[in-house]
Every structure is written in C-alpha cells, then in structure tokens.
C-alpha cells in the first residue's frame, strides 16, 4: 500500500489537505491540496444531483424566504401538502393513501415501527 493510501486510511489522516474538501461543482470536489476529484458518494440522497446545482439552490432559497420553517405540528402548510401529493403521485395512490412527515431519521424509524405494530 502506498504511504498516502496508508495515511489516509487512518483516523490520523483526518484533516489532511488531500482529504479536506474546499469547493464542489457538479460531480467533482476540489480538495485543499488543489486536486479536483470525482465524487463517489452517489448513495447519499443529494449527491446524485451534483454539487452547486443552480436550480436546486434557487428552489431552496425561495422556500427559505417564503416559508422559512413551518411546523407540521397540528397544522398543515402548502409546501407539505404539495410534497405529499407529489410523493403519492410517484409511489402510486393505489398503494398508498397518506404521507407522514417526521423531523429526523430517528423519528421516521420510530413512526415506521409504531405503524408496523398497529
């Protein structure tokens, strides 16, 4: 194994310039050592769209200005209703008739387990 690969594989390699991202565009990431590398984290929910996607940034920015943070605790709001309808449209309303929004992965798992027990 090369010395670089050996050093990067250890926790002590954390923060090394060749492992510290400074900028990203599309599928490529610029590291502090000046090298652009291909992003290979396609399993992450957002990475498939690429970094710095202008359409996504504009959509997120608009929602942050128009709605900031609206809770779903005992009330609804238009973005949640629209998202639920879009999800049902993709998943098929013949299979699903409701969407349950949660605030985190942990609460989503909790809700899934409680629903399954019912």
């Amino acid at each position: 194994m090369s010395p670089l690969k050996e050093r990067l594989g250890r926790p002590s390699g954390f923060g090394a310039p060749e492992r510290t991202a400074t900028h990203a565009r599309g599928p490529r990431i610029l590291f502090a050592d000046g090298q652009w590398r291909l992003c290979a984290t396609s399993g992450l929910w957002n990475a498939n769209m690429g970094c710095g996607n202008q359409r996504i940034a504009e959509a997120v920015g608009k929602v942050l200005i128009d709605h900031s943070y609206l809770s779903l605790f005992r009330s609804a709001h238009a973005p949640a209703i629209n998202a639920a309808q879009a999800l049902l449209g993709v998943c098929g309303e013949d299979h699903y008739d409701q969407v349950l929004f949660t605030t985190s992965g942990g609460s989503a798992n909790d809700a899934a387990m409680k629903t399954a027990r019912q």
Side-chain angles (χ1 to χ4, degrees):
M1 181 181 296
S2 75
L4 175 62
K5 284 186 180 178
E6 185 177 324
R7 182 167 70 95
L8 293 178
R10 296 191 312 253
S12 60
F14 185 83
E18 53 279 345
R19 288 188 69 171
T20 303
T22 61
H23 188 80
R25 275 290 172 259
R28 302 207 176 270
I29 300 173
L30 177 63
F31 287 83
D33 66 355
Q35 295 291 313
W36 284 92
R37 296 184 181 94
L38 182 65
C39 178
T41 56
S42 63
L44 298 176
W45 70 272
N46 61 331
N48 294 319
M49 299 304 225
C51 298
N53 185 305
Q54 191 67 32
R55 289 178 60 197
I56 292 173
E58 288 171 3
V60 169
K62 182 174 178 358
V63 169
L64 288 173
I65 290 168
D66 293 346
H67 302 290
S68 187
Y69 175 78
L70 296 175
S71 173
L72 288 170
F73 183 70
R74 297 187 179 174
S75 66
H77 52 76
I81 293 169
N82 294 339
Q85 290 171 339
L87 283 169
L88 291 173
V90 169
C91 296
E93 292 185 47
D94 52 328
H95 295 295
Y96 301 97
D97 63 351
Q98 291 184 0
V99 172
L100 174 64
F101 291 104
T102 64
T103 57
S104 69
S107 64
N109 287 329
D110 184 59
M113 288 184 273
K114 288 177 179 177
T115 302
R117 284 183 22 206
Q118 291 296 319

mmCIF file of all heavy atoms in Angstrom, residues 26-58:
data_model
loop_
_atom_site.group_PDB
_atom_site.id
_atom_site.type_symbol
_atom_site.label_atom_id
_atom_site.label_comp_id
_atom_site.label_asym_id
_atom_site.label_seq_id
_atom_site.Cartn_x
_atom_site.Cartn_y
_atom_site.Cartn_z
ATOM 1 N N GLY A 26 -20.887 20.296 -9.583
ATOM 2 C CA GLY A 26 -21.334 19.101 -10.310
ATOM 3 C C GLY A 26 -20.869 17.852 -9.594
ATOM 4 O O GLY A 26 -21.031 17.721 -8.388
ATOM 5 N N PRO A 27 -20.244 16.932 -10.311
ATOM 6 C CA PRO A 27 -19.805 15.680 -9.684
ATOM 7 C C PRO A 27 -18.365 15.724 -9.170
ATOM 8 O O PRO A 27 -17.813 14.709 -8.805
ATOM 9 C CB PRO A 27 -19.923 14.675 -10.827
ATOM 10 C CG PRO A 27 -19.582 15.494 -12.039
ATOM 11 C CD PRO A 27 -20.157 16.871 -11.768
ATOM 12 N N ARG A 28 -17.747 16.900 -9.145
ATOM 13 C CA ARG A 28 -16.339 16.993 -8.760
ATOM 14 C C ARG A 28 -16.163 17.846 -7.505
ATOM 15 O O ARG A 28 -16.875 18.807 -7.290
ATOM 16 C CB ARG A 28 -15.511 17.563 -9.898
ATOM 17 C CG ARG A 28 -15.641 16.731 -11.153
ATOM 18 C CD ARG A 28 -14.427 16.848 -12.027
ATOM 19 N NE ARG A 28 -14.538 15.960 -13.175
ATOM 20 C CZ ARG A 28 -14.107 14.710 -13.190
ATOM 21 N NH1 ARG A 28 -13.534 14.203 -12.132
ATOM 22 N NH2 ARG A 28 -14.239 13.967 -14.268
ATOM 23 N N ILE A 29 -15.152 17.448 -6.703
ATOM 24 C CA ILE A 29 -14.850 18.137 -5.453
ATOM 25 C C ILE A 29 -13.409 18.620 -5.504
ATOM 26 O O ILE A 29 -12.507 17.868 -5.884
ATOM 27 C CB ILE A 29 -15.046 17.195 -4.244
ATOM 28 C CG1 ILE A 29 -16.491 16.707 -4.202
ATOM 29 C CG2 ILE A 29 -14.667 17.898 -2.942
ATOM 30 C CD1 ILE A 29 -16.752 15.655 -3.168
ATOM 31 N N LEU A 30 -13.185 19.879 -5.103
ATOM 32 C CA LEU A 30 -11.838 20.436 -5.012
ATOM 33 C C LEU A 30 -11.352 20.263 -3.582
ATOM 34 O O LEU A 30 -12.033 20.625 -2.623
ATOM 35 C CB LEU A 30 -11.845 21.923 -5.387
ATOM 36 C CG LEU A 30 -10.509 22.653 -5.267
ATOM 37 C CD1 LEU A 30 -9.478 22.069 -6.220
ATOM 38 C CD2 LEU A 30 -10.700 24.139 -5.504
ATOM 39 N N PHE A 31 -10.170 19.704 -3.448
ATOM 40 C CA PHE A 31 -9.588 19.475 -2.132
ATOM 41 C C PHE A 31 -8.497 20.507 -1.849
ATOM 42 O O PHE A 31 -7.994 21.170 -2.759
ATOM 43 C CB PHE A 31 -9.041 18.049 -2.035
ATOM 44 C CG PHE A 31 -10.145 17.027 -1.943
ATOM 45 C CD1 PHE A 31 -10.776 16.568 -3.081
ATOM 46 C CD2 PHE A 31 -10.575 16.556 -0.707
ATOM 47 C CE1 PHE A 31 -11.817 15.654 -3.001
ATOM 48 C CE2 PHE A 31 -11.615 15.645 -0.617
ATOM 49 C CZ PHE A 31 -12.227 15.190 -1.763
ATOM 50 N N ALA A 32 -8.137 20.643 -0.584
ATOM 51 C CA ALA A 32 -7.175 21.653 -0.157
ATOM 52 C C ALA A 32 -5.797 21.458 -0.787
ATOM 53 O O ALA A 32 -5.012 22.400 -0.831
ATOM 54 C CB ALA A 32 -7.068 21.662 1.374
ATOM 55 N N ASP A 33 -5.517 20.284 -1.299
ATOM 56 C CA ASP A 33 -4.235 20.065 -1.973
ATOM 57 C C ASP A 33 -4.271 20.550 -3.425
ATOM 58 O O ASP A 33 -3.310 20.395 -4.163
ATOM 59 C CB ASP A 33 -3.823 18.600 -1.910
ATOM 60 C CG ASP A 33 -4.730 17.665 -2.696
ATOM 61 O OD1 ASP A 33 -5.767 18.123 -3.240
ATOM 62 O OD2 ASP A 33 -4.409 16.464 -2.773
ATOM 63 N N GLY A 34 -5.401 21.153 -3.845
ATOM 64 C CA GLY A 34 -5.514 21.698 -5.197
ATOM 65 C C GLY A 34 -6.020 20.713 -6.238
ATOM 66 O O GLY A 34 -6.159 21.067 -7.401
ATOM 67 N N GLN A 35 -6.307 19.502 -5.842
ATOM 68 C CA GLN A 35 -6.753 18.469 -6.779
ATOM 69 C C GLN A 35 -8.273 18.388 -6.824
ATOM 70 O O GLN A 35 -8.933 18.384 -5.787
ATOM 71 C CB GLN A 35 -6.192 17.098 -6.365
ATOM 72 C CG GLN A 35 -4.691 17.004 -6.438
ATOM 73 C CD GLN A 35 -4.202 17.036 -7.870
ATOM 74 O OE1 GLN A 35 -4.714 16.335 -8.735
ATOM 75 N NE2 GLN A 35 -3.201 17.884 -8.119
ATOM 76 N N TRP A 36 -8.820 18.330 -8.052
ATOM 77 C CA TRP A 36 -10.244 18.050 -8.246
ATOM 78 C C TRP A 36 -10.387 16.542 -8.343
ATOM 79 O O TRP A 36 -9.630 15.884 -9.050
ATOM 80 C CB TRP A 36 -10.751 18.684 -9.546
ATOM 81 C CG TRP A 36 -10.968 20.155 -9.466
ATOM 82 C CD1 TRP A 36 -10.062 21.120 -9.785
ATOM 83 C CD2 TRP A 36 -12.154 20.818 -9.052
ATOM 84 N NE1 TRP A 36 -10.608 22.367 -9.584
ATOM 85 C CE2 TRP A 36 -11.901 22.206 -9.142
ATOM 86 C CE3 TRP A 36 -13.396 20.392 -8.609
ATOM 87 C CZ2 TRP A 36 -12.850 23.160 -8.811
ATOM 88 C CZ3 TRP A 36 -14.344 21.354 -8.283
ATOM 89 C CH2 TRP A 36 -14.074 22.713 -8.382
ATOM 90 N N ARG A 37 -11.361 15.985 -7.619
ATOM 91 C CA ARG A 37 -11.593 14.543 -7.672
ATOM 92 C C ARG A 37 -13.068 14.286 -7.918
ATOM 93 O O ARG A 37 -13.922 15.080 -7.527
ATOM 94 C CB ARG A 37 -11.147 13.884 -6.369
ATOM 95 C CG ARG A 37 -9.650 14.023 -6.143
ATOM 96 C CD ARG A 37 -9.195 13.274 -4.905
ATOM 97 N NE ARG A 37 -7.777 13.447 -4.702
ATOM 98 C CZ ARG A 37 -7.235 14.384 -3.933
ATOM 99 N NH1 ARG A 37 -8.001 15.220 -3.261
ATOM 100 N NH2 ARG A 37 -5.938 14.481 -3.810
ATOM 101 N N LEU A 38 -13.359 13.167 -8.548
ATOM 102 C CA LEU A 38 -14.735 12.767 -8.815
ATOM 103 C C LEU A 38 -15.396 12.337 -7.518
ATOM 104 O O LEU A 38 -14.832 11.564 -6.744
ATOM 105 C CB LEU A 38 -14.754 11.611 -9.822
ATOM 106 C CG LEU A 38 -16.119 11.109 -10.251
ATOM 107 C CD1 LEU A 38 -16.863 12.192 -11.014
ATOM 108 C CD2 LEU A 38 -15.960 9.878 -11.131
ATOM 109 N N CYS A 39 -16.598 12.839 -7.255
ATOM 110 C CA CYS A 39 -17.356 12.452 -6.065
ATOM 111 C C CYS A 39 -17.915 11.048 -6.283
ATOM 112 O O CYS A 39 -18.567 10.783 -7.280
ATOM 113 C CB CYS A 39 -18.499 13.443 -5.830
ATOM 114 S SG CYS A 39 -19.527 13.014 -4.413
ATOM 115 N N ALA A 40 -17.659 10.171 -5.356
ATOM 116 C CA ALA A 40 -18.132 8.797 -5.473
ATOM 117 C C ALA A 40 -19.128 8.459 -4.368
ATOM 118 O O ALA A 40 -19.246 7.319 -3.948
ATOM 119 C CB ALA A 40 -16.952 7.833 -5.438
ATOM 120 N N THR A 41 -19.870 9.444 -3.888
ATOM 121 C CA THR A 41 -20.830 9.234 -2.807
ATOM 122 C C THR A 41 -22.251 9.261 -3.337
ATOM 123 O O THR A 41 -23.133 9.870 -2.758
ATOM 124 C CB THR A 41 -20.657 10.291 -1.710
ATOM 125 O OG1 THR A 41 -20.770 11.584 -2.311
ATOM 126 C CG2 THR A 41 -19.330 10.167 -1.009
ATOM 127 N N SER A 42 -22.497 8.589 -4.442
ATOM 128 C CA SER A 42 -23.806 8.654 -5.083
ATOM 129 C C SER A 42 -24.922 8.047 -4.247
ATOM 130 O O SER A 42 -26.082 8.261 -4.538
ATOM 131 C CB SER A 42 -23.769 7.971 -6.447
ATOM 132 O OG SER A 42 -23.480 6.595 -6.290
ATOM 133 N N GLY A 43 -24.598 7.328 -3.210
ATOM 134 C CA GLY A 43 -25.627 6.766 -2.357
ATOM 135 C C GLY A 43 -26.274 7.791 -1.448
ATOM 136 O O GLY A 43 -27.331 7.556 -0.891
ATOM 137 N N LEU A 44 -25.646 8.939 -1.276
ATOM 138 C CA LEU A 44 -26.229 9.971 -0.442
ATOM 139 C C LEU A 44 -27.374 10.630 -1.183
ATOM 140 O O LEU A 44 -27.321 10.825 -2.393
ATOM 141 C CB LEU A 44 -25.174 11.010 -0.045
ATOM 142 C CG LEU A 44 -24.018 10.458 0.783
ATOM 143 C CD1 LEU A 44 -22.981 11.541 1.041
ATOM 144 C CD2 LEU A 44 -24.519 9.897 2.102
ATOM 145 N N TRP A 45 -28.402 11.026 -0.461
ATOM 146 C CA TRP A 45 -29.648 11.497 -1.087
ATOM 147 C C TRP A 45 -29.456 12.673 -2.014
ATOM 148 O O TRP A 45 -30.138 12.819 -3.006
ATOM 149 C CB TRP A 45 -30.691 11.819 -0.023
ATOM 150 C CG TRP A 45 -30.350 13.036 0.787
ATOM 151 C CD1 TRP A 45 -29.601 13.085 1.920
ATOM 152 C CD2 TRP A 45 -30.736 14.380 0.510
ATOM 153 N NE1 TRP A 45 -29.495 14.363 2.367
ATOM 154 C CE2 TRP A 45 -30.189 15.187 1.525
ATOM 155 C CE3 TRP A 45 -31.498 14.982 -0.480
ATOM 156 C CZ2 TRP A 45 -30.376 16.560 1.566
ATOM 157 C CZ3 TRP A 45 -31.683 16.350 -0.431
ATOM 158 C CH2 TRP A 45 -31.122 17.108 0.590
ATOM 159 N N ASN A 46 -28.545 13.571 -1.724
ATOM 160 C CA ASN A 46 -28.408 14.781 -2.533
ATOM 161 C C ASN A 46 -27.298 14.708 -3.571
ATOM 162 O O ASN A 46 -27.264 15.502 -4.493
ATOM 163 C CB ASN A 46 -28.145 15.976 -1.632
ATOM 164 C CG ASN A 46 -26.861 15.823 -0.845
ATOM 165 O OD1 ASN A 46 -26.446 14.717 -0.548
ATOM 166 N ND2 ASN A 46 -26.235 16.904 -0.501
ATOM 167 N N ALA A 47 -26.382 13.770 -3.442
ATOM 168 C CA ALA A 47 -25.207 13.752 -4.304
ATOM 169 C C ALA A 47 -25.543 13.438 -5.758
ATOM 170 O O ALA A 47 -24.807 13.843 -6.650
ATOM 171 C CB ALA A 47 -24.184 12.753 -3.771
ATOM 172 N N ASN A 48 -26.624 12.748 -6.014
ATOM 173 C CA ASN A 48 -26.968 12.402 -7.384
ATOM 174 C C ASN A 48 -27.283 13.627 -8.233
ATOM 175 O O ASN A 48 -27.207 13.576 -9.463
ATOM 176 C CB ASN A 48 -28.160 11.442 -7.411
ATOM 177 C CG ASN A 48 -27.788 10.115 -6.805
ATOM 178 O OD1 ASN A 48 -26.710 9.612 -7.033
ATOM 179 N ND2 ASN A 48 -28.684 9.562 -6.011
ATOM 180 N N MET A 49 -27.657 14.723 -7.629
ATOM 181 C CA MET A 49 -27.966 15.953 -8.355
ATOM 182 C C MET A 49 -26.720 16.788 -8.615
ATOM 183 O O MET A 49 -26.771 17.774 -9.323
ATOM 184 C CB MET A 49 -28.966 16.800 -7.562
ATOM 185 C CG MET A 49 -30.266 16.087 -7.333
ATOM 186 S SD MET A 49 -30.978 15.571 -8.892
ATOM 187 C CE MET A 49 -32.643 16.057 -8.671
ATOM 188 N N GLY A 50 -25.611 16.422 -8.032
ATOM 189 C CA GLY A 50 -24.387 17.189 -8.203
ATOM 190 C C GLY A 50 -24.340 18.357 -7.241
ATOM 191 O O GLY A 50 -25.353 18.823 -6.732
ATOM 192 N N CYS A 51 -23.160 18.819 -6.998
ATOM 193 C CA CYS A 51 -22.961 19.947 -6.090
ATOM 194 C C CYS A 51 -23.134 21.251 -6.848
ATOM 195 O O CYS A 51 -22.820 21.351 -8.022
ATOM 196 C CB CYS A 51 -21.563 19.875 -5.489
ATOM 197 S SG CYS A 51 -21.282 18.401 -4.515
ATOM 198 N N GLY A 52 -23.630 22.264 -6.155
ATOM 199 C CA GLY A 52 -23.768 23.574 -6.754
ATOM 200 C C GLY A 52 -24.825 23.640 -7.840
ATOM 201 O O GLY A 52 -24.747 24.468 -8.738
ATOM 202 N N ASN A 53 -25.836 22.786 -7.764
ATOM 203 C CA ASN A 53 -26.903 22.776 -8.763
ATOM 204 C C ASN A 53 -27.734 24.047 -8.607
ATOM 205 O O ASN A 53 -28.413 24.250 -7.594
ATOM 206 C CB ASN A 53 -27.768 21.524 -8.579
ATOM 207 C CG ASN A 53 -28.812 21.368 -9.647
ATOM 208 O OD1 ASN A 53 -29.608 22.270 -9.883
ATOM 209 N ND2 ASN A 53 -28.823 20.212 -10.272
ATOM 210 N N GLN A 54 -27.694 24.902 -9.599
ATOM 211 C CA GLN A 54 -28.343 26.212 -9.530
ATOM 212 C C GLN A 54 -29.848 26.105 -9.328
ATOM 213 O O GLN A 54 -30.439 26.848 -8.543
ATOM 214 C CB GLN A 54 -28.035 27.016 -10.798
ATOM 215 C CG GLN A 54 -28.445 28.465 -10.719
ATOM 216 C CD GLN A 54 -27.626 29.266 -9.715
ATOM 217 O OE1 GLN A 54 -26.450 28.994 -9.502
ATOM 218 N NE2 GLN A 54 -28.250 30.244 -9.090
ATOM 219 N N ARG A 55 -30.503 25.174 -10.016
ATOM 220 C CA ARG A 55 -31.960 25.028 -9.885
ATOM 221 C C ARG A 55 -32.350 24.630 -8.470
ATOM 222 O O ARG A 55 -33.325 25.133 -7.919
ATOM 223 C CB ARG A 55 -32.485 24.008 -10.896
ATOM 224 C CG ARG A 55 -32.437 24.536 -12.329
ATOM 225 C CD ARG A 55 -32.908 23.519 -13.329
ATOM 226 N NE ARG A 55 -34.287 23.114 -13.055
ATOM 227 C CZ ARG A 55 -34.839 22.021 -13.567
ATOM 228 N NH1 ARG A 55 -34.160 21.228 -14.352
ATOM 229 N NH2 ARG A 55 -36.085 21.722 -13.284
ATOM 230 N N ILE A 56 -31.589 23.730 -7.883
ATOM 231 C CA ILE A 56 -31.879 23.292 -6.516
ATOM 232 C C ILE A 56 -31.629 24.444 -5.540
ATOM 233 O O ILE A 56 -32.443 24.711 -4.655
ATOM 234 C CB ILE A 56 -31.049 22.059 -6.135
ATOM 235 C CG1 ILE A 56 -31.511 20.859 -6.972
ATOM 236 C CG2 ILE A 56 -31.145 21.758 -4.645
ATOM 237 C CD1 ILE A 56 -30.654 19.627 -6.820
ATOM 238 N N ALA A 57 -30.518 25.152 -5.703
ATOM 239 C CA ALA A 57 -30.206 26.276 -4.811
ATOM 240 C C ALA A 57 -31.288 27.349 -4.879
ATOM 241 O O ALA A 57 -31.699 27.891 -3.849
ATOM 242 C CB ALA A 57 -28.843 26.861 -5.174
ATOM 243 N N GLU A 58 -31.761 27.647 -6.079
ATOM 244 C CA GLU A 58 -32.816 28.660 -6.217
ATOM 245 C C GLU A 58 -34.122 28.194 -5.584
ATOM 246 O O GLU A 58 -34.808 28.974 -4.914
ATOM 247 C CB GLU A 58 -33.023 28.995 -7.688
ATOM 248 C CG GLU A 58 -31.878 29.798 -8.277
ATOM 249 C CD GLU A 58 -31.959 29.944 -9.793
ATOM 250 O OE1 GLU A 58 -32.950 29.473 -10.414
ATOM 251 O OE2 GLU A 58 -31.019 30.527 -10.361
#
